[in-house]
Coordinates of all heavy atoms in Angstrom, one line a residue:
F12 N 0.9 -1.2 0.0 CA 0.0 0.0 0.0 C 0.9 1.2 0.0 O 1.9 1.3 0.8 CB -0.9 -0.1 1.2 CG -2.2 0.7 1.1 CD1 -3.0 0.4 0.2 CD2 -2.4 1.7 2.0 CE1 -4.2 1.0 0.1 CE2 -3.6 2.3 2.0 CZ -4.5 2.0 1.0
S13 N 0.6 2.2 -0.9 CA 1.6 3.3 -1.0 C 0.9 4.6 -0.8 O -0.3 4.8 -0.8 CB 2.2 3.1 -2.4 OG 1.2 3.5 -3.4
G14 N 1.8 5.6 -0.8 CA 1.4 7.0 -0.8 C 0.7 7.4 -2.0 O -0.1 8.3 -2.0
N15 N 0.9 6.7 -3.1 CA 0.2 7.0 -4.4 C -1.3 6.8 -4.2 O -2.1 7.6 -4.7 CB 0.7 6.1 -5.5 CG 2.1 6.4 -5.9 OD1 2.7 7.4 -5.7 ND2 2.8 5.4 -6.5
F16 N -1.7 5.8 -3.5 CA -3.1 5.5 -3.3 C -3.7 6.7 -2.4 O -4.8 7.2 -2.8 CB -3.3 4.2 -2.6 CG -4.7 3.8 -2.3 CD1 -5.5 3.2 -3.3 CD2 -5.3 4.1 -1.1 CE1 -6.8 2.9 -3.1 CE2 -6.6 3.9 -0.9 CZ -7.4 3.2 -1.8
I17 N -3.0 7.0 -1.4 CA -3.5 8.1 -0.5 C -3.5 9.4 -1.3 O -4.5 10.2 -1.1 CB -2.5 8.3 0.7 CG1 -2.4 6.9 1.5 CG2 -3.0 9.4 1.6 CD1 -3.7 6.3 1.9
D18 N -2.5 9.7 -2.1 CA -2.5 10.9 -2.9 C -3.7 10.9 -3.9 O -4.3 11.9 -4.1 CB -1.2 11.1 -3.7 CG 0.0 11.5 -2.8 OD1 -0.3 11.9 -1.6 OD2 1.1 11.3 -3.2
A19 N -4.0 9.7 -4.5 CA -5.1 9.7 -5.5 C -6.4 10.0 -4.7 O -7.3 10.7 -5.3 CB -5.1 8.3 -6.1
I20 N -6.6 9.5 -3.6 CA -7.8 9.8 -2.8 C -7.8 11.3 -2.5 O -8.8 12.0 -2.7 CB -7.9 9.0 -1.5 CG1 -7.9 7.5 -1.8 CG2 -9.0 9.5 -0.6 CD1 -9.2 7.1 -2.5
Y21 N -6.7 11.9 -2.0 CA -6.7 13.3 -1.6 C -7.0 14.2 -2.8 O -7.8 15.1 -2.7 CB -5.3 13.6 -1.0 CG -5.2 15.1 -0.6 CD1 -5.7 15.5 0.6 CD2 -4.6 16.0 -1.4 CE1 -5.7 16.9 0.9 CE2 -4.5 17.3 -1.1 CZ -5.1 17.8 0.1 OH -5.0 19.1 0.4
F22 N -6.4 13.9 -4.0 CA -6.6 14.7 -5.1 C -7.8 14.3 -6.0 O -8.0 14.8 -7.1 CB -5.3 14.8 -6.0 CG -4.2 15.5 -5.3 CD1 -3.1 14.8 -4.8 CD2 -4.2 16.8 -5.2 CE1 -2.1 15.5 -4.2 CE2 -3.2 17.5 -4.5 CZ -2.1 16.9 -4.0
E23 N -8.5 13.2 -5.5 CA -9.7 12.7 -6.2 C -9.4 12.3 -7.7 O -10.0 12.7 -8.6 CB -10.8 13.7 -6.2 CG -11.3 14.0 -4.8 CD -12.3 15.1 -4.6 OE1 -12.9 15.6 -5.6 OE2 -12.6 15.4 -3.5
V24 N -8.3 11.5 -7.8 CA -7.9 11.0 -9.1 C -8.2 9.5 -9.2 O -8.0 8.8 -8.2 CB -6.4 11.2 -9.2 CG1 -5.8 10.6 -10.5 CG2 -6.0 12.7 -9.1
I25 N -8.7 9.0 -10.3 CA -9.0 7.7 -10.5 C -7.8 6.8 -10.3 O -6.7 7.1 -10.8 CB -9.5 7.4 -12.0 CG1 -10.9 8.1 -12.1 CG2 -9.7 6.0 -12.3 CD1 -11.5 8.2 -13.4
I26 N -7.9 5.7 -9.5 CA -6.8 4.9 -9.1 C -6.6 3.8 -10.1 O -7.5 3.2 -10.6 CB -7.2 4.3 -7.7 CG1 -7.2 5.4 -6.7 CG2 -6.2 3.2 -7.4 CD1 -7.9 5.0 -5.4
I27 N -5.3 3.6 -10.4 CA -4.9 2.4 -11.2 C -3.9 1.7 -10.3 O -2.9 2.2 -9.9 CB -4.2 2.8 -12.5 CG1 -5.2 3.6 -13.4 CG2 -3.7 1.6 -13.3 CD1 -4.6 4.2 -14.6
S28 N -4.2 0.4 -10.0 CA -3.4 -0.3 -9.0 C -3.3 -1.8 -9.4 O -4.2 -2.3 -10.0 CB -4.0 -0.2 -7.6 OG -3.3 -0.9 -6.7
N29 N -2.2 -2.4 -8.9 CA -2.1 -3.8 -8.9 C -3.1 -4.4 -7.9 O -3.6 -3.7 -7.1 CB -0.6 -4.2 -8.6 CG -0.2 -5.5 -9.1 OD1 -1.0 -6.2 -9.8 ND2 1.0 -5.9 -8.9
S30 N -3.3 -5.7 -8.1 CA -4.3 -6.3 -7.3 C -3.7 -6.7 -6.0 O -3.2 -7.8 -5.8 CB -4.8 -7.6 -8.0 OG -5.8 -8.3 -7.2
I31 N -3.7 -5.8 -5.0 CA -3.2 -6.0 -3.7 C -4.4 -5.9 -2.6 O -5.3 -5.1 -2.8 CB -2.0 -5.1 -3.3 CG1 -2.4 -3.6 -3.4 CG2 -0.8 -5.4 -4.2 CD1 -1.3 -2.7 -3.0
N32 N -4.2 -6.6 -1.5 CA -5.3 -6.7 -0.6 C -5.8 -5.3 0.0 O -7.0 -5.1 0.0 CB -4.9 -7.6 0.6 CG -5.0 -9.0 0.2 OD1 -5.7 -9.4 -0.7 ND2 -4.3 -9.9 0.9
P33 N -4.9 -4.4 0.3 CA -5.5 -3.1 0.9 C -6.3 -2.4 -0.1 O -7.4 -1.9 0.2 CB -4.2 -2.3 1.3 CG -3.2 -3.3 1.5 CD -3.5 -4.5 0.5
V34 N -5.9 -2.4 -1.4 CA -6.7 -1.7 -2.4 C -8.0 -2.5 -2.7 O -9.1 -1.9 -2.8 CB -5.9 -1.6 -3.7 CG1 -6.7 -1.1 -4.9 CG2 -4.6 -0.7 -3.5
L35 N -7.9 -3.8 -2.7 CA -9.1 -4.6 -2.9 C -10.2 -4.3 -1.8 O -11.3 -4.3 -2.1 CB -8.8 -6.1 -3.0 CG -7.9 -6.5 -4.2 CD1 -7.5 -8.0 -4.1 CD2 -8.7 -6.3 -5.5
E36 N -9.6 -4.2 -0.6 CA -10.6 -3.9 0.5 C -11.3 -2.6 0.4 O -12.5 -2.5 0.6 CB -9.8 -3.9 1.9 CG -9.3 -5.3 2.3 CD -8.5 -5.4 3.6 OE1 -8.6 -4.4 4.3 OE2 -7.8 -6.4 3.7
Y37 N -10.6 -1.5 -0.1 CA -11.2 -0.3 -0.3 C -12.2 -0.4 -1.4 O -13.3 0.2 -1.4 CB -10.2 0.8 -0.7 CG -9.6 1.5 0.6 CD1 -8.5 1.0 1.3 CD2 -10.2 2.6 1.1 CE1 -8.0 1.6 2.4 CE2 -9.7 3.2 2.2 CZ -8.6 2.7 2.9 OH -8.2 3.3 4.0
F38 N -11.9 -1.1 -2.5 CA -12.9 -1.3 -3.6 C -14.1 -2.0 -3.1 O -15.2 -1.7 -3.5 CB -12.2 -2.1 -4.7 CG -11.5 -1.3 -5.7 CD1 -10.4 -0.5 -5.4 CD2 -11.8 -1.3 -7.1 CE1 -9.7 0.3 -6.3 CE2 -11.2 -0.5 -8.0 CZ -10.1 0.3 -7.6
D39 N -13.9 -3.0 -2.2 CA -15.0 -3.8 -1.6 C -15.9 -2.9 -0.7 O -17.1 -2.9 -0.8 CB -14.5 -5.0 -0.8 CG -14.0 -6.1 -1.7 OD1 -14.3 -6.2 -2.8 OD2 -13.3 -7.0 -1.1
D40 N -15.3 -2.0 0.0 CA -16.0 -1.2 0.9 C -16.7 0.0 0.3 O -17.7 0.5 0.7 CB -15.0 -0.6 2.1 CG -14.6 -1.7 3.0 OD1 -15.2 -2.8 3.0 OD2 -13.6 -1.4 3.7
Y41 N -16.0 0.6 -0.8 CA -16.6 1.8 -1.3 C -17.0 1.7 -2.8 O -17.5 2.7 -3.3 CB -15.5 2.9 -1.2 CG -15.2 3.3 0.2 CD1 -14.2 2.8 0.9 CD2 -16.0 4.3 0.8 CE1 -14.0 3.2 2.2 CE2 -15.8 4.7 2.1 CZ -14.8 4.1 2.8 OH -14.6 4.5 4.1
G42 N -16.9 0.6 -3.4 CA -17.2 0.4 -4.8 C -16.0 0.7 -5.6 O -14.9 0.9 -5.2
K43 N -16.2 0.8 -7.0 CA -15.1 1.0 -7.9 C -14.5 2.4 -7.7 O -15.1 3.4 -7.7 CB -15.6 0.9 -9.3 CG -14.6 0.7 -10.3 CD -15.1 0.2 -11.6 CE -13.9 0.0 -12.6 NZ -14.3 -0.8 -13.7
L44 N -13.2 2.3 -7.5 CA -12.4 3.5 -7.3 C -11.4 3.8 -8.5 O -10.7 4.8 -8.4 CB -11.6 3.5 -6.0 CG -12.4 3.2 -4.7 CD1 -11.5 2.9 -3.5 CD2 -13.3 4.4 -4.4
G45 N -11.5 2.9 -9.4 CA -10.6 3.1 -10.6 C -10.4 1.7 -11.2 O -11.4 0.9 -11.4
I46 N -9.2 1.4 -11.5 CA -8.9 0.1 -12.3 C -7.9 -0.7 -11.5 O -6.9 -0.2 -11.0 CB -8.3 0.5 -13.6 CG1 -9.3 1.2 -14.5 CG2 -7.8 -0.8 -14.3 CD1 -8.7 1.7 -15.8
I47 N -8.2 -2.0 -11.3 CA -7.3 -2.9 -10.7 C -6.7 -3.8 -11.9 O -7.5 -4.4 -12.7 CB -7.9 -3.8 -9.7 CG1 -8.3 -2.9 -8.5 CG2 -7.0 -4.9 -9.2 CD1 -9.1 -3.7 -7.4
I48 N -5.4 -3.9 -12.0 CA -4.8 -4.6 -13.1 C -3.7 -5.5 -12.5 O -3.0 -5.1 -11.6 CB -4.3 -3.6 -14.2 CG1 -4.0 -4.3 -15.5 CG2 -3.1 -2.9 -13.7 CD1 -5.2 -4.5 -16.3
N49 N -3.5 -6.7 -13.1 CA -2.4 -7.5 -12.7 C -1.3 -7.3 -13.7 O -1.3 -7.8 -14.8 CB -2.8 -9.0 -12.7 CG -1.8 -9.9 -12.1 OD1 -0.6 -9.5 -12.0 ND2 -2.1 -11.1 -11.8
Y50 N -0.3 -6.6 -13.3 CA 0.9 -6.3 -14.1 C 1.7 -7.5 -14.5 O 2.6 -7.4 -15.4 CB 1.8 -5.2 -13.5 CG 1.1 -3.9 -13.3 CD1 0.7 -3.4 -12.0 CD2 0.7 -3.1 -14.3 CE1 0.1 -2.2 -11.8 CE2 0.1 -1.9 -14.1 CZ -0.3 -1.4 -12.8 OH -0.9 -0.3 -12.7
D51 N 1.5 -8.6 -13.9 CA 2.2 -9.8 -14.2 C 1.6 -10.6 -15.4 O 2.2 -11.4 -16.0 CB 2.3 -10.8 -13.0 CG 3.2 -10.2 -11.9 OD1 4.1 -9.5 -12.2 OD2 2.8 -10.5 -10.7
D52 N 0.4 -10.2 -15.7 CA -0.3 -10.9 -16.8 C 0.2 -10.4 -18.1 O 0.4 -9.2 -18.4 CB -1.8 -10.5 -16.8 CG -2.6 -11.3 -15.8 OD1 -2.1 -12.2 -15.2 OD2 -3.8 -10.9 -15.5
P53 N 0.5 -11.4 -19.0 CA 0.9 -10.9 -20.4 C -0.2 -10.1 -21.0 O -1.4 -10.4 -20.9 CB 1.1 -12.2 -21.2 CG 1.2 -13.3 -20.1 CD 0.4 -12.8 -18.9
G54 N 0.1 -9.0 -21.7 CA -0.8 -8.2 -22.3 C -1.6 -7.3 -21.4 O -2.7 -6.8 -21.7
W55 N -1.1 -7.1 -20.2 CA -1.8 -6.2 -19.1 C -2.1 -4.8 -19.7 O -3.1 -4.3 -19.4 CB -1.0 -6.2 -17.8 CG 0.3 -5.4 -17.9 CD1 1.5 -6.0 -18.1 CD2 0.5 -4.0 -17.9 NE1 2.5 -5.0 -18.1 CE2 1.9 -3.8 -18.0 CE3 -0.4 -2.9 -17.7 CZ2 2.4 -2.5 -17.9 CZ3 0.2 -1.6 -17.6 CH2 1.6 -1.4 -17.8
E56 N -1.2 -4.3 -20.5 CA -1.4 -3.0 -21.0 C -2.7 -2.9 -21.9 O -3.4 -1.9 -21.9 CB -0.2 -2.4 -21.8 CG 0.3 -3.2 -22.9 CD 1.1 -4.5 -22.6 OE1 1.5 -4.7 -21.4 OE2 1.3 -5.3 -23.5
I57 N -2.9 -3.9 -22.7 CA -4.1 -4.0 -23.5 C -5.4 -4.1 -22.6 O -6.4 -3.4 -22.9 CB -4.1 -5.2 -24.5 CG1 -2.8 -5.1 -25.4 CG2 -5.4 -5.2 -25.3 CD1 -2.7 -3.9 -26.2
K58 N -5.3 -4.9 -21.6 CA -6.4 -5.0 -20.6 C -6.7 -3.7 -19.9 O -7.8 -3.3 -19.7 CB -6.1 -6.1 -19.6 CG -6.1 -7.5 -20.2 CD -5.7 -8.5 -19.2 CE -5.5 -9.9 -19.8 NZ -5.0 -10.9 -18.9
L59 N -5.6 -2.9 -19.6 CA -5.8 -1.6 -19.0 C -6.5 -0.7 -19.9 O -7.4 0.0 -19.5 CB -4.4 -1.1 -18.6 CG -4.3 0.3 -18.1 CD1 -5.1 0.3 -16.7 CD2 -2.9 0.8 -17.9
L60 N -6.1 -0.6 -21.2 CA -6.7 0.3 -22.2 C -8.2 -0.1 -22.4 O -9.1 0.7 -22.5 CB -6.0 0.2 -23.5 CG -4.6 0.9 -23.4 CD1 -3.9 0.7 -24.8 CD2 -4.6 2.3 -23.1
D61 N -8.5 -1.5 -22.4 CA -9.8 -1.9 -22.5 C -10.7 -1.4 -21.3 O -11.9 -1.1 -21.5 CB -9.9 -3.5 -22.6 CG -9.4 -4.0 -24.0 OD1 -9.3 -3.2 -25.0 OD2 -9.1 -5.2 -24.0
Q62 N -10.1 -1.5 -20.2 CA -10.9 -1.1 -19.0 C -11.2 0.4 -19.0 O -12.2 0.9 -18.5 CB -10.2 -1.4 -17.7 CG -10.2 -2.9 -17.4 CD -9.8 -3.3 -16.0 OE1 -10.2 -2.6 -15.1 NE2 -9.0 -4.3 -15.9
F63 N -10.3 1.2 -19.6 CA -10.6 2.7 -19.7 C -11.9 2.9 -20.5 O -12.6 3.9 -20.2 CB -9.5 3.4 -20.4 CG -8.4 3.9 -19.5 CD1 -7.2 3.3 -19.5 CD2 -8.6 4.9 -18.6 CE1 -6.2 3.7 -18.6 CE2 -7.7 5.4 -17.7 CZ -6.4 4.7 -17.8
N64 N -12.2 2.1 -21.5 CA -13.4 2.3 -22.3 C -14.7 2.1 -21.4 O -15.8 2.6 -21.8 CB -13.5 1.3 -23.4 CG -12.4 1.7 -24.5 OD1 -12.0 2.8 -24.6 ND2 -11.9 0.7 -25.1
N65 N -14.6 1.4 -20.3 CA -15.8 1.1 -19.5 C -15.8 1.9 -18.2 O -16.7 1.6 -17.4 CB -15.7 -0.4 -19.2 CG -15.9 -1.3 -20.4 OD1 -16.6 -1.0 -21.3 ND2 -15.1 -2.4 -20.4
L66 N -15.0 2.8 -18.1 CA -15.0 3.6 -16.8 C -16.2 4.5 -16.7 O -16.7 5.0 -17.8 CB -13.7 4.5 -16.7 CG -12.4 3.8 -16.3 CD1 -11.3 4.9 -16.3 CD2 -12.5 3.2 -15.0
K67 N -16.7 4.7 -15.5 CA -17.7 5.6 -15.2 C -17.1 6.7 -14.3 O -17.3 6.6 -13.1 CB -18.9 4.9 -14.6 CG -19.5 3.9 -15.6 CD -20.7 3.2 -14.9 CE -21.2 2.2 -15.9 NZ -22.2 1.4 -15.3
P68 N -16.5 7.7 -14.8 CA -15.7 8.6 -14.0 C -16.5 9.3 -12.9 O -16.0 9.5 -11.8 CB -15.2 9.7 -15.0 CG -15.2 9.0 -16.3 CD -16.3 8.0 -16.3
K69 N -17.8 9.7 -13.2 CA -18.5 10.4 -12.2 C -18.8 9.5 -11.0 O -18.7 9.9 -9.8 CB -19.8 10.9 -12.7 CG -19.6 12.1 -13.7 CD -20.9 12.6 -14.2 CE -20.7 13.8 -15.2 NZ -21.9 14.3 -15.8
E70 N -19.1 8.2 -11.2 CA -19.4 7.3 -10.2 C -18.1 7.0 -9.4 O -18.2 7.0 -8.1 CB -19.9 5.9 -10.8 CG -20.1 4.8 -9.8 CD -20.6 3.6 -10.6 OE1 -21.3 3.6 -11.5 OE2 -20.1 2.5 -10.1
I71 N -17.0 6.9 -10.1 CA -15.7 6.6 -9.4 C -15.4 7.8 -8.5 O -15.0 7.5 -7.3 CB -14.6 6.2 -10.4 CG1 -15.0 4.9 -11.1 CG2 -13.3 6.2 -9.8 CD1 -14.1 4.6 -12.3
I72 N -15.5 8.9 -9.0 CA -15.1 10.1 -8.2 C -16.0 10.3 -7.0 O -15.6 10.6 -5.9 CB -15.1 11.4 -9.1 CG1 -14.0 11.3 -10.2 CG2 -14.9 12.7 -8.2 CD1 -12.6 11.1 -9.7
A73 N -17.3 10.0 -7.2 CA -18.2 10.0 -6.0 C -17.8 9.0 -5.0 O -17.8 9.3 -3.7 CB -19.6 9.7 -6.5
N74 N -17.4 7.8 -5.4 CA -16.9 6.8 -4.4 C -15.6 7.3 -3.8 O -15.4 7.1 -2.6 CB -16.6 5.5 -5.2 CG -17.9 4.8 -5.6 OD1 -19.0 5.1 -5.1 ND2 -17.8 3.9 -6.5
I75 N -14.7 7.9 -4.5 CA -13.4 8.4 -4.0 C -13.8 9.5 -2.9 O -13.1 9.5 -1.9 CB -12.5 8.9 -5.1 CG1 -12.0 7.7 -5.9 CG2 -11.4 9.8 -4.5 CD1 -11.2 8.1 -7.1
K76 N -14.7 10.3 -3.2 CA -15.1 11.4 -2.2 C -15.6 10.8 -0.9 O -15.4 11.3 0.2 CB -16.1 12.3 -2.9 CG -15.5 13.2 -3.9 CD -16.6 14.2 -4.5 CE -15.9 15.1 -5.5 NZ -16.7 16.2 -5.9
K77 N -16.3 9.6 -1.0 CA -16.8 8.9 0.2 C -15.6 8.5 1.0 O -15.6 8.6 2.3 CB -17.6 7.7 -0.2 CG -19.0 8.0 -0.7 CD -19.7 6.7 -1.1 CE -20.8 7.0 -2.1 NZ -21.4 5.7 -2.7
V78 N -14.6 7.9 0.4 CA -13.3 7.5 1.1 C -12.7 8.7 1.8 O -12.3 8.7 2.9 CB -12.3 6.8 0.1 CG1 -11.0 6.5 0.9 CG2 -12.9 5.6 -0.5
K79 N -12.6 9.8 1.0 CA -12.0 11.0 1.5 C -12.7 11.5 2.7 O -12.1 11.9 3.7 CB -12.0 12.0 0.4 CG -11.1 13.2 0.7 CD -11.1 14.1 -0.6 CE -10.2 15.4 -0.3 NZ -10.2 16.2 -1.6
K80 N -14.0 11.5 2.7 CA -14.9 12.0 3.8 C -14.7 11.1 5.0 O -14.5 11.6 6.1 CB -16.3 12.1 3.4 CG -17.2 12.6 4.5 CD -18.7 12.6 4.0 CE -19.5 13.0 5.2 NZ -20.9 12.6 5.1
D81 N -14.7 9.8 4.8 CA -14.6 8.8 5.9 C -13.2 8.9 6.5 O -13.1 8.4 7.7 CB -14.9 7.4 5.4 CG -16.4 7.2 5.2 OD1 -17.2 8.1 5.5 OD2 -16.8 6.1 4.7
H82 N -12.2 9.4 5.8 CA -10.9 9.4 6.4 C -10.4 10.8 6.6 O -9.2 11.0 6.7 CB -10.0 8.6 5.4 CG -10.2 7.2 5.4 ND1 -11.2 6.6 4.7 CD2 -9.7 6.1 6.0 CE1 -11.3 5.3 4.8 NE2 -10.4 5.0 5.7
S83 N -11.3 11.7 6.7 CA -10.9 13.1 7.0 C -10.5 13.2 8.4 O -10.9 12.4 9.3 CB -12.1 14.1 6.7 OG -13.1 13.8 7.7
L84 N -9.8 14.3 8.7 CA -9.4 14.5 10.1 C -10.6 14.6 11.1 O -10.6 14.1 12.1 CB -8.5 15.8 10.2 CG -7.8 16.1 11.5 CD1 -6.9 14.9 11.9 CD2 -7.0 17.3 11.4
K85 N -11.7 15.3 10.6 CA -12.8 15.4 11.4 C -13.4 14.0 11.7 O -13.8 13.7 12.8 CB -13.9 16.3 10.7 CG -15.2 16.5 11.5 CD -16.1 17.4 10.7 CE -17.4 17.6 11.5 NZ -18.4 18.4 10.8
S86 N -13.5 13.2 10.7 CA -14.0 11.8 10.9 C -13.2 11.0 11.8 O -13.7 10.2 12.7 CB -14.1 11.1 9.5 OG -14.7 9.8 9.7
I87 N -11.9 11.2 11.7 CA -11.0 10.4 12.6 C -11.2 10.9 14.1 O -11.3 10.1 15.0 CB -9.5 10.6 12.2 CG1 -9.3 9.9 10.8 CG2 -8.6 10.1 13.2 CD1 -8.0 10.2 10.1
Y88 N -11.3 12.2 14.3 CA -11.5 12.7 15.6 C -12.8 12.2 16.2 O -12.9 11.9 17.3 CB -11.5 14.3 15.6 CG -10.1 14.9 15.6 CD1 -9.9 16.1 15.0 CD2 -9.1 14.3 16.2 CE1 -8.7 16.7 14.9 CE2 -7.8 14.9 16.2 CZ -7.6 16.1 15.5 OH -6.4 16.7 15.5
N89 N -13.9 12.2 15.3 CA -15.2 11.7 15.8 C -15.1 10.2 16.2 O -15.7 9.8 17.2 CB -16.2 11.9 14.7 CG -16.6 13.3 14.5 OD1 -16.4 14.1 15.4 ND2 -17.2 13.6 13.4
S90 N -14.3 9.4 15.4 CA -14.1 8.0 15.8 C -13.4 7.9 17.1 O -13.7 7.0 17.9 CB -13.3 7.3 14.7 OG -14.1 7.3 13.5
L91 N -12.4 8.7 17.3 CA -11.6 8.6 18.5 C -12.5 9.0 19.7 O -12.4 8.4 20.8 CB -10.4 9.6 18.5 CG -9.3 9.1 17.6 CD1 -8.2 10.2 17.5 CD2 -8.7 7.8 18.0
D92 N -13.4 10.0 19.5 CA -14.3 10.4 20.6 C -15.2 9.2 21.0 O -15.6 9.1 22.2 CB -15.2 11.6 20.2 CG -14.4 12.9 20.2 OD1 -13.3 13.0 20.8 OD2 -14.9 13.9 19.6
E93 N -15.6 8.4 20.0 CA -16.4 7.3 20.3 C -15.7 6.2 21.1 O -16.3 5.4 21.9 CB -17.0 6.7 19.1 CG -18.0 7.6 18.4 CD -18.4 7.1 17.0 OE1 -18.1 5.9 16.7 OE2 -19.0 7.9 16.2
V94 N -14.4 6.1 20.9 CA -13.6 5.0 21.5 C -13.0 5.4 22.8 O -13.0 4.6 23.8 CB -12.5 4.6 20.5 CG1 -11.6 3.6 21.1 CG2 -13.0 4.1 19.2
F95 N -12.5 6.7 22.9 CA -11.9 7.1 24.1 C -12.7 8.1 24.9 O -13.5 8.9 24.3 CB -10.5 7.8 23.8 CG -9.5 6.9 23.1 CD1 -9.2 6.9 21.8 CD2 -8.9 5.9 23.9 CE1 -8.4 6.1 21.2 CE2 -8.0 5.0 23.3 CZ -7.7 5.1 21.9
I96 N -12.6 8.1 26.2 CA -13.3 9.1 26.9 C -12.2 10.1 27.4 O -11.2 9.8 28.0 CB -13.9 8.5 28.2 CG1 -14.9 7.4 27.8 CG2 -14.5 9.5 29.2 CD1 -15.4 6.6 29.0
F97 N -12.4 11.4 26.9 CA -11.5 12.4 27.3 C -11.9 13.2 28.4 O -13.0 13.5 28.6 CB -11.3 13.3 26.0 CG -10.6 12.6 24.9 CD1 -11.2 12.2 23.8 CD2 -9.2 12.4 25.0 CE1 -10.6 11.6 22.8 CE2 -8.5 11.8 23.9 CZ -9.2 11.4 22.8

């Protein structure tokens, strides 16, 4: 899991990622956030280009905004308030 993923969320950019568990979990929780591709597959670049034709950018950006909202500083503070008594 990398800073690239976090930056994509912050800047609301469609994600292109290898199939790794942390990214898959976010896709499972929030819906499609971009494209997941296996770079080890022969012809992965053709598969990537094919997936671009089926993208729904508005839906993806809306999902990314949900991730961004759920991981905002305000949301984190609210979660801490529920867990800890200050």
